[in-house]
Amino acid sequence: MLFNLLTDTNTGTEQAAGGDWVTWVILIAMIALFVVYFVFSSRSNKKKQEEAMQIINAVKPGNKVKTIGGICGIVVEVDNEENTFVLETGSEASGKSYMKFDKQAIYQTDAVAETKESSADQIEEEVEEAAEETEDKE
């Protein structure tokens, strides 16, 4: 069907009169749709990537982590300079082991990234607490 719209079904006199403009309009509209799709697609991918980086950077000792290799454990130490963390696996009965991983090896974690909304909520709570303290003093 699309091919039929783009094919030239006009006669020679209609082409000379400018009947070819419909084909160009359809072609330009399709190109514009592809450009819009790629722009929104790249924006959403960039946003997801930033959220993943925030979660990875929020990992600190005590968080549970699952690596891309399937190893589960608790973070014992984080080294931000080397971008690594030490993971404790095992139990007291079976024996504990410690492994050092790159932060990019994190697949899942219970760490929660600090978002702008949560930091704004914390600021509001601090302001309310300060207001309550001043009221109590008076």
Side-chain angles (χ1 to χ4, degrees):
M1 181 176 159
L2 181 60
F3 182 73
N4 291 337
L5 290 173
L6 295 175
T7 58
D8 190 18
T9 58
N10 298 332
T11 61
T13 56
E14 290 179 74
Q15 263 186 350
D20 198 31
W21 67 273
V22 173
T23 304
W24 286 106
V25 169
I26 292 173
L27 188 61
I28 291 171
M30 288 177 55
I31 291 171
L33 285 173
F34 281 122
V35 168
V36 168
Y37 170 75
F38 284 120
V39 167
F40 283 116
S41 169
S42 67
R43 290 174 93 196
S44 66
N45 286 340
K46 186 181 285 187
K47 187 175 181 179
K48 287 179 186 177
Q49 193 175 29
E50 287 175 1
E51 289 174 358
M53 286 303 297
Q54 287 176 347
I55 291 173
I56 287 173
N57 290 331
V59 171
K60 53 189 166 212
N63 289 125
K64 294 180 182 177
V65 169
K66 182 177 184 180
T67 66
I68 55 176
I71 300 171
C72 300
I74 297 173
V75 176
V76 178
E77 179 183 329
V78 177
D79 186 0
N80 290 326
E81 290 179 14
E82 292 184 15
N83 205 26
T84 60
F85 67 97
V86 176
L87 191 67
E88 174 187 302
T89 60
S91 65
E92 294 290 332
S94 64
K96 293 184 179 182
S97 62
Y98 298 91
M99 292 179 266
K100 189 174 187 177
F101 290 96
D102 188 52
K103 280 187 177 181
Q104 299 300 321
I106 295 173
Y107 178 66
Q108 288 179 333
T109 181
D110 64 350
V112 178
E114 182 82 16
T115 61
K116 293 177 184 176
E117 293 174 4
S118 64
S119 62
D121 291 340
Q122 288 177 351
I123 292 171
E124 287 178 15
E125 289 175 7
E126 290 173 4
V127 168
E128 289 175 3
E129 289 174 6
E132 289 175 5
E133 287 177 9
T134 56
E135 287 176 4
D136 291 340
K137 290 180 181 178
E138 294 175 355

